[in-house]
Amino acid sequence: MSSPALYEGGSKVNPVQITEDEAAVYDRQIRLWGLDAQQRMRNATILIVRLRGTATEAIKNIVLAGIGKLVLIDPDDVSEEDLGAGFFFREEDVGKKVCTSYLFAGMTYVHCNPRCDAYVYPSKKVDVARARIESLNPLVAVQTMKHHTLLERESLDALVMSVDLICPARCGQLTPVAMEIEINEVCRRFGKPFYAGGTFGLLGYIFCDLLKHDYIAPDRSAQGDAPRSVKATQVYSPLHMALRHRWSALTKRQTKELNPGVVLTILALWQYQKIHQGELPASSDATPELLAIANAILAEAEVNVQVLSTMPSELIESISMSATHEFSPVCAVVGGMLAQDILKALAAREAPIANFFVFDGNTGSGSVARMNM
């Protein structure tokens, strides 16, 4: 674990007040959403698991907005695949070796030069990204962790208790949907908001479970001198319940507007990962299996057959070949939406996503489905 930054974020238990210097930095957004909202962000600690493309975009936005503390977990080294959508990484970071004078038991190191008794090891994503994240906003404390065991049950409980909001990004084998469900359940036990988001090729998603969420919404029916805003409450479903959503109560028009083909394709990819120990389809050879999985999910979901009677084979074939790839424009859209919604939830102003957002990069369109809410 890295050493603490110059500034430490506050918390709900031990809040800190925004200083005059901070107020000057955040002046424009304080004018937009108010000092109370900015204060809530300043006292928030957010945990993000895995530095993928979507997470990179979201991190940039929430750090610039002025959260109190960011905690990052990623055990991976920087690879060439990270350079496409991960703008915290550079070509020189791939395969970079970091010199250390400490020898960790059970790991093999290479001497950095014959005269040095120190050792070198591949640089981790969190080590490389930290300085670049801190440079975006020195007022935000950044803490990094690189041990996957932190997501095991006992460690996970302590980790969730120490933060205010948790967001696992789409993480391949590290956090397929089974792990995201487990993290969501731990968040519920400790009353912590949960987000999950990521991309599969040209498709992207965001899921959120904000438990029972109170927020201030504009009152568009207010007239004259009446208050222009009203307090509202939204009750969310956990991820495992959202996955059992049935579409039968929707009209043909409502169903069509929600683009169920994209939603169910993402669910099919999660099921494929479950069958293949976290692996995603990587070629058109996987199309028949993925199509069968998607059609089985479609049948169970009770989608209006006039809208979608069978899953589009072209979409399934396309995602079979591209699911493992990250495209920067798609990550930018989904990561931007993810950050915006996290900030909405923290500020408690306006309604957050309720509760499953999908983005289709083939058409450039997005929709929000209420899954078992």
Side-chain angles (χ1 to χ4, degrees), residues 184 188 192-195 207-212 236-239 355:
N184 185 200
R188 284 198 145 246
K192 301 300 176 75
F194 170 88
Y195 277 85
F207 170 80
C208 68
D209 175 13
L210 304 182
L211 311 167
K212 183 179 180 182
Y236 285 76
S237 295
L239 180 55
N355 57 343

mmCIF file of all heavy atoms in Angstrom, residues 184 188 192-195 207-212 236-239 355:
data_model
loop_
_atom_site.group_PDB
_atom_site.id
_atom_site.type_symbol
_atom_site.label_atom_id
_atom_site.label_comp_id
_atom_site.label_asym_id
_atom_site.label_seq_id
_atom_site.Cartn_x
_atom_site.Cartn_y
_atom_site.Cartn_z
ATOM 1 N N ASN A 184 -21.575 -6.321 -4.078
ATOM 2 C CA ASN A 184 -22.851 -5.629 -3.882
ATOM 3 C C ASN A 184 -23.529 -6.060 -2.582
ATOM 4 O O ASN A 184 -24.060 -5.231 -1.827
ATOM 5 C CB ASN A 184 -23.752 -5.898 -5.081
ATOM 6 C CG ASN A 184 -25.061 -5.131 -5.055
ATOM 7 O OD1 ASN A 184 -26.022 -5.493 -5.731
ATOM 8 N ND2 ASN A 184 -25.141 -4.050 -4.285
ATOM 9 N N ARG A 188 -24.417 -3.829 0.726
ATOM 10 C CA ARG A 188 -25.755 -3.745 1.318
ATOM 11 C C ARG A 188 -25.706 -3.999 2.823
ATOM 12 O O ARG A 188 -26.417 -3.349 3.581
ATOM 13 C CB ARG A 188 -26.697 -4.759 0.652
ATOM 14 C CG ARG A 188 -27.145 -4.304 -0.728
ATOM 15 C CD ARG A 188 -28.378 -5.051 -1.215
ATOM 16 N NE ARG A 188 -29.177 -4.092 -1.986
ATOM 17 C CZ ARG A 188 -30.368 -3.647 -1.647
ATOM 18 N NH1 ARG A 188 -30.931 -4.073 -0.529
ATOM 19 N NH2 ARG A 188 -31.008 -2.779 -2.392
ATOM 20 N N LYS A 192 -23.642 0.707 2.039
ATOM 21 C CA LYS A 192 -22.806 1.513 1.150
ATOM 22 C C LYS A 192 -23.314 1.449 -0.293
ATOM 23 O O LYS A 192 -23.627 0.364 -0.801
ATOM 24 C CB LYS A 192 -21.356 1.024 1.188
ATOM 25 C CG LYS A 192 -20.714 1.059 2.579
ATOM 26 C CD LYS A 192 -20.692 2.470 3.153
ATOM 27 C CE LYS A 192 -20.158 2.520 4.579
ATOM 28 N NZ LYS A 192 -18.711 2.366 4.667
ATOM 29 N N PRO A 193 -23.407 2.593 -0.973
ATOM 30 C CA PRO A 193 -23.820 2.606 -2.382
ATOM 31 C C PRO A 193 -22.849 1.818 -3.252
ATOM 32 O O PRO A 193 -21.640 1.790 -2.988
ATOM 33 C CB PRO A 193 -23.807 4.097 -2.747
ATOM 34 C CG PRO A 193 -23.868 4.817 -1.449
ATOM 35 C CD PRO A 193 -23.163 3.952 -0.454
ATOM 36 N N PHE A 194 -23.390 1.228 -4.313
ATOM 37 C CA PHE A 194 -22.610 0.349 -5.183
ATOM 38 C C PHE A 194 -22.855 0.715 -6.643
ATOM 39 O O PHE A 194 -23.999 0.907 -7.059
ATOM 40 C CB PHE A 194 -23.022 -1.105 -4.942
ATOM 41 C CG PHE A 194 -22.465 -2.095 -5.938
ATOM 42 C CD1 PHE A 194 -21.218 -2.674 -5.723
ATOM 43 C CD2 PHE A 194 -23.189 -2.457 -7.064
ATOM 44 C CE1 PHE A 194 -20.702 -3.598 -6.632
ATOM 45 C CE2 PHE A 194 -22.677 -3.381 -7.973
ATOM 46 C CZ PHE A 194 -21.440 -3.955 -7.757
ATOM 47 N N TYR A 195 -21.778 0.838 -7.391
ATOM 48 C CA TYR A 195 -21.844 1.008 -8.846
ATOM 49 C C TYR A 195 -20.991 -0.065 -9.503
ATOM 50 O O TYR A 195 -19.994 -0.515 -8.935
ATOM 51 C CB TYR A 195 -21.301 2.370 -9.271
ATOM 52 C CG TYR A 195 -22.283 3.513 -9.166
ATOM 53 C CD1 TYR A 195 -22.449 4.189 -7.966
ATOM 54 C CD2 TYR A 195 -23.037 3.915 -10.264
ATOM 55 C CE1 TYR A 195 -23.343 5.249 -7.868
ATOM 56 C CE2 TYR A 195 -23.933 4.968 -10.172
ATOM 57 C CZ TYR A 195 -24.079 5.632 -8.969
ATOM 58 O OH TYR A 195 -24.967 6.670 -8.867
ATOM 59 N N PHE A 207 -24.460 -0.287 -13.819
ATOM 60 C CA PHE A 207 -25.494 -0.718 -12.876
ATOM 61 C C PHE A 207 -25.261 0.011 -11.560
ATOM 62 O O PHE A 207 -24.116 0.207 -11.153
ATOM 63 C CB PHE A 207 -25.434 -2.225 -12.626
ATOM 64 C CG PHE A 207 -26.327 -2.663 -11.491
ATOM 65 C CD1 PHE A 207 -27.682 -2.836 -11.677
ATOM 66 C CD2 PHE A 207 -25.807 -2.851 -10.210
ATOM 67 C CE1 PHE A 207 -28.515 -3.201 -10.625
ATOM 68 C CE2 PHE A 207 -26.624 -3.218 -9.157
ATOM 69 C CZ PHE A 207 -27.986 -3.396 -9.372
ATOM 70 N N CYS A 208 -26.340 0.418 -10.897
ATOM 71 C CA CYS A 208 -26.156 1.012 -9.572
ATOM 72 C C CYS A 208 -27.211 0.506 -8.596
ATOM 73 O O CYS A 208 -28.351 0.231 -8.972
ATOM 74 C CB CYS A 208 -26.173 2.537 -9.629
ATOM 75 S SG CYS A 208 -27.747 3.284 -10.048
ATOM 76 N N ASP A 209 -26.770 0.358 -7.362
ATOM 77 C CA ASP A 209 -27.644 0.004 -6.237
ATOM 78 C C ASP A 209 -27.356 1.002 -5.126
ATOM 79 O O ASP A 209 -26.352 0.885 -4.424
ATOM 80 C CB ASP A 209 -27.373 -1.427 -5.773
ATOM 81 C CG ASP A 209 -28.170 -1.798 -4.521
ATOM 82 O OD1 ASP A 209 -29.100 -1.032 -4.164
ATOM 83 O OD2 ASP A 209 -27.865 -2.849 -3.916
ATOM 84 N N LEU A 210 -28.237 1.969 -4.996
ATOM 85 C CA LEU A 210 -28.059 3.036 -4.007
ATOM 86 C C LEU A 210 -28.925 2.815 -2.772
ATOM 87 O O LEU A 210 -29.185 3.760 -2.017
ATOM 88 C CB LEU A 210 -28.376 4.395 -4.644
ATOM 89 C CG LEU A 210 -27.566 4.743 -5.898
ATOM 90 C CD1 LEU A 210 -27.928 6.129 -6.409
ATOM 91 C CD2 LEU A 210 -26.077 4.650 -5.624
ATOM 92 N N LEU A 211 -29.385 1.562 -2.596
ATOM 93 C CA LEU A 211 -30.179 1.214 -1.416
ATOM 94 C C LEU A 211 -31.450 2.066 -1.397
ATOM 95 O O LEU A 211 -32.209 2.046 -2.363
ATOM 96 C CB LEU A 211 -29.340 1.413 -0.152
ATOM 97 C CG LEU A 211 -27.946 0.779 -0.186
ATOM 98 C CD1 LEU A 211 -27.078 1.288 0.940
ATOM 99 C CD2 LEU A 211 -28.046 -0.729 -0.169
ATOM 100 N N LYS A 212 -31.692 2.825 -0.348
ATOM 101 C CA LYS A 212 -32.784 3.794 -0.301
ATOM 102 C C LYS A 212 -32.151 5.176 -0.400
ATOM 103 O O LYS A 212 -31.507 5.640 0.536
ATOM 104 C CB LYS A 212 -33.587 3.656 0.995
ATOM 105 C CG LYS A 212 -34.788 4.583 1.072
ATOM 106 C CD LYS A 212 -35.554 4.380 2.368
ATOM 107 C CE LYS A 212 -36.754 5.323 2.443
ATOM 108 N NZ LYS A 212 -37.496 5.177 3.727
ATOM 109 N N TYR A 236 -33.747 1.002 -4.448
ATOM 110 C CA TYR A 236 -33.040 0.228 -5.470
ATOM 111 C C TYR A 236 -33.037 -1.269 -5.164
ATOM 112 O O TYR A 236 -33.252 -1.685 -4.031
ATOM 113 C CB TYR A 236 -31.596 0.728 -5.606
ATOM 114 C CG TYR A 236 -31.471 2.039 -6.336
ATOM 115 C CD1 TYR A 236 -31.806 3.248 -5.715
ATOM 116 C CD2 TYR A 236 -31.033 2.079 -7.650
ATOM 117 C CE1 TYR A 236 -31.695 4.451 -6.389
ATOM 118 C CE2 TYR A 236 -30.917 3.285 -8.332
ATOM 119 C CZ TYR A 236 -31.255 4.463 -7.698
ATOM 120 O OH TYR A 236 -31.155 5.651 -8.372
ATOM 121 N N SER A 237 -32.758 -2.055 -6.194
ATOM 122 C CA SER A 237 -32.647 -3.504 -6.063
ATOM 123 C C SER A 237 -31.186 -3.924 -6.131
ATOM 124 O O SER A 237 -30.396 -3.292 -6.843
ATOM 125 C CB SER A 237 -33.412 -4.210 -7.190
ATOM 126 O OG SER A 237 -34.786 -3.971 -7.096
ATOM 127 N N PRO A 238 -30.813 -4.994 -5.447
ATOM 128 C CA PRO A 238 -29.443 -5.506 -5.574
ATOM 129 C C PRO A 238 -29.244 -6.143 -6.940
ATOM 130 O O PRO A 238 -30.214 -6.477 -7.644
ATOM 131 C CB PRO A 238 -29.351 -6.539 -4.455
ATOM 132 C CG PRO A 238 -30.765 -6.963 -4.203
ATOM 133 C CD PRO A 238 -31.612 -5.764 -4.480
ATOM 134 N N LEU A 239 -28.001 -6.334 -7.317
ATOM 135 C CA LEU A 239 -27.683 -6.843 -8.652
ATOM 136 C C LEU A 239 -28.289 -8.219 -8.899
ATOM 137 O O LEU A 239 -28.802 -8.492 -9.988
ATOM 138 C CB LEU A 239 -26.156 -6.878 -8.839
ATOM 139 C CG LEU A 239 -25.631 -7.377 -10.179
ATOM 140 C CD1 LEU A 239 -26.230 -6.601 -11.338
ATOM 141 C CD2 LEU A 239 -24.102 -7.303 -10.210
ATOM 142 N N ASN A 355 -32.022 1.590 -13.043
ATOM 143 C CA ASN A 355 -30.802 1.267 -12.348
ATOM 144 C C ASN A 355 -29.775 0.593 -13.256
ATOM 145 O O ASN A 355 -28.694 0.251 -12.816
ATOM 146 C CB ASN A 355 -31.113 0.355 -11.145
ATOM 147 C CG ASN A 355 -31.851 -0.929 -11.584
ATOM 148 O OD1 ASN A 355 -32.419 -1.048 -12.679
ATOM 149 N ND2 ASN A 355 -31.882 -1.894 -10.686
#
